[in-house]
């Protein structure tokens, strides 16, 4: 028998859970993921997210209202649990009945307890098997398994080894993140047992994303080895593009500087890159997939092209005669 994979409709536990056309969630990128980007991704058939990060609650509320004006599709909120505004973000998710909440950089127990009874779908981003098992027990609806290829705050396992181990450890659906920027990556993620993908860096380079043009161009220019991880001694390693700031971080870290001094160097740097376009002394957070990104296109086109390519890749895998 000749096996032929012919996927025209992407329907699985993740599309059903999210109520969405494609099993794709946008990354909750601090300073980058605003209502404009979230609505563009949701209107393109994925789940767009607003990244609450350290946003003052009154600004976050405006963004939630704006997202509802820009799309009638479901969208989500990412809560960065290390932030002092995380509780306020959680309350705004409750007040505005945000349908999907992802969490990062911490333990989501409180968020699950508060939001699940309201019908919110809660999806923690995790970077190890122990974290995945814990959040499943706490009642998470799915997990995003984020490999170290991802941009921003990262764990240490690659997507290739993390995803299958998480798939084998939990019963809830697994969404793969880190290094996925085209249809080949989606096909690979599905081969590893994931039922969805989270896309960050690729979405920075969509036409609707409002980051400074310099930031987008830095990603377009990036090659395979343009990334570096800074801040390891602080316990919060961050992947970004190499620049003058990352070189200064390396100097400080090699000289055995105090955690305080390293953290001080990082203050306000993401905003400087995203808003002011200072890509030399700002923090240009981006994943290792930056080297694969060569154009800026509308979010909907990126999503459709990626999934068409994934279906094509899967259908062209060697078929075996049985
Ligand atoms: O959170 C992210 N990515 C981020 S957050 C961010 S803002 C920031 N800026 C400077 C320093 C630190 C953060 C930029 N990028 N991704 C999700 C993620 N979560 N990756 C790893 C984790 C994680 C880490 C520890 C999840 C849970 C965890 O511990 C939970 C536990 O077991 O207690």
């Amino acid at each position: 028998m000749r096996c032929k994979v012919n996927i025209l409709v992407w329907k699985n536990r993740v599309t059903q859970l999210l109520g969405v056309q494609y099993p794709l969630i946008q990354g909750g990128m601090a300073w980058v993921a605003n209502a404009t980007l979230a609505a563009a991704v949701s209107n393109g058939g994925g789940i767009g997210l607003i990244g609450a990060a350290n946003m003052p609650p009154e600004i976050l509320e405006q963004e939630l209202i704006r997202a509802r004006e820009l799309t009638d599709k479901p969208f989500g909120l990412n809560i960065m649990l290390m932030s002092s505004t995380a509780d306020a973000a959680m309350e705004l998710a409750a007040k505005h009945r945000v349908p999907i909440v992802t969490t990062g950089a911490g333990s989501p127990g409180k968020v699950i307890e508060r939001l699940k009874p309201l019908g919110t779908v809660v999806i923690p981003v995790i970077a190890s098997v122990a974290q995945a098992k814990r959040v499943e027990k706490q009642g998470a609806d799915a997990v995003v398994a984020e490999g170290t290829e991802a941009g921003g705050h990262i764990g240490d396992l690659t997507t290739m080894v993390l995803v299958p181990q998480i798939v084998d450890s939990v019963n809830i659906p697994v969404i793969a993140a880190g290094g996925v920027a085209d249809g080949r990556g989606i096909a690979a993620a599905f081969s590893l047992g994931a039922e969805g993908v989270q896309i960050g860096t690729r979405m920075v380079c969509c036409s609707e994303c409002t980051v400074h043009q310099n930031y987008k161009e830095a990603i377009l220019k990036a090659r395979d080895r343009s990334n570096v991880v800074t801040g390891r001694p602080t316990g919060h390693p961050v992947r970004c593009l190499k620049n003058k700031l990352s070189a200064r971080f390396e100097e400080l870290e090699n000289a055995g500087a105090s955690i305080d001094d390293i953290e001080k160097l990082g203050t306000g740097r993401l905003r400087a890159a995203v808003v002011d376009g200072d890509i030399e002394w700002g923090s240009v957070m981006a994943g290792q997939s930056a080297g694969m990104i060569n154009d800026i296109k509308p979010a909907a086109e990126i999503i459709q092209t990626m999934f068409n390519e994934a279906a094509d890749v899967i259908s062209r895998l060697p078929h075996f005669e049985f």
Side-chain angles (χ1 to χ4, degrees):
M1 188 183 79
R2 194 163 262 275
C3 296
K4 190 162 185 347
V5 181
N6 188 11
I7 302 170
L8 294 171
V9 179
W10 294 81
K11 190 173 168 195
N12 62 13
R13 288 194 293 173
V14 169
T15 57
Q16 275 166 330
L17 183 66
L18 303 176
V20 79
Q21 187 183 355
Y22 297 109
L24 177 146
I25 301 188
Q26 170 226 313
M29 303 166 284
W31 285 101
V32 174
N34 58 15
T36 311
L37 180 61
V41 172
S42 286
N43 286 332
I47 291 291
L49 295 185
I50 294 168
N54 291 315
M55 241 187 238
E58 52 289 0
I59 308 248
L60 176 56
E61 185 157 35
Q62 283 170 18
E63 287 297 293
L64 291 171
I65 293 167
R66 208 159 65 78
R68 274 254 154 68
E69 287 165 4
L70 294 172
T71 185
D72 52 12
K73 300 261 172 57
F75 65 91
L77 175 67
N78 173 268
I79 302 178
M80 210 273 276
L81 294 163
M82 267 172 27
S83 169
S84 57
T85 58
D87 281 356
M90 178 176 79
E91 285 312 317
L92 286 171
K95 179 179 172 190
H96 289 271
R97 293 287 192 269
V98 177
I100 295 137
V101 166
T102 68
T103 65
S107 182
K110 195 165 150 188
V111 174
I112 295 171
E113 225 168 82
R114 172 77 178 97
L115 296 179
K116 277 270 299 202
L118 306 176
T120 313
V121 171
V122 182
I123 306 179
V125 179
I126 47 83
S128 74
V129 167
Q131 289 167 355
K133 283 184 170 166
R134 196 174 323 134
V135 302
E136 180 179 49
K137 241 189 232 146
Q138 289 169 330
D141 293 289
V143 284
V144 173
E146 191 178 87
T148 195
E149 296 94 319
H153 177 46
I154 46 165
D156 49 13
L157 296 174
T158 61
T159 305
M160 185 75 121
V161 298
L162 179 67
V163 171
Q165 291 185 80
I166 306 248
V167 166
D168 288 346
S169 309
V170 297
N171 293 308
I172 51 179
V174 177
I175 296 164
V180 183
D182 62 20
R184 294 172 296 183
I186 295 176
F190 276 66
S191 296
L192 298 175
E195 292 176 66
V197 289
Q198 177 190 271
I199 304 292
T201 307
R202 182 64 189 98
M203 284 303 166
V204 177
C205 287
C206 79
S207 335
E208 297 92 338
C209 179
T210 57
V211 297
H212 197 285
Q213 190 63 22
N214 294 353
Y215 202 114
K216 292 188 185 183
E217 280 167 16
I219 293 174
L220 295 181
K221 264 199 216 135
R223 298 156 65 111
D224 55 345
R225 305 189 62 246
S226 298
N227 265 258
V228 66
V229 178
T230 61
R232 285 204 194 275
T234 69
H236 306 299
V238 169
R239 183 180 298 288
C240 50
L241 296 184
K242 288 178 187 166
N243 63 5
K244 289 188 171 134
L245 176 68
S246 71
R248 182 83 191 106
F249 265 116
E250 265 181 304
E251 262 172 39
L252 277 186
E253 287 166 24
N254 291 340
S258 70
I259 290 177
D260 240 28
D261 283 348
I262 297 172
E263 276 177 349
K264 234 182 261 158
L265 179 62
T267 308
R269 299 293 183 163
L270 181 59
R271 184 192 184 283
V274 171
V275 180
D276 307 330
D278 183 357
I279 52 161
E280 284 305 339
W281 285 103
S283 176
V284 188
M285 291 188 190
Q288 287 185 329
S289 68
M292 299 160 61
I293 297 164
N294 301 307
D295 57 9
I296 295 170
K297 294 189 296 197
E301 202 180 315
I302 290 174
I303 295 169
Q304 210 179 56
T305 305
M306 282 176 91
F307 278 92
N308 285 344
E309 190 192 1
D312 193 47
V313 166
I314 292 165
S315 75
R316 281 190 292 102
L317 289 174
H319 300 307
F320 295 95
E321 304 281 345
F322 293 103

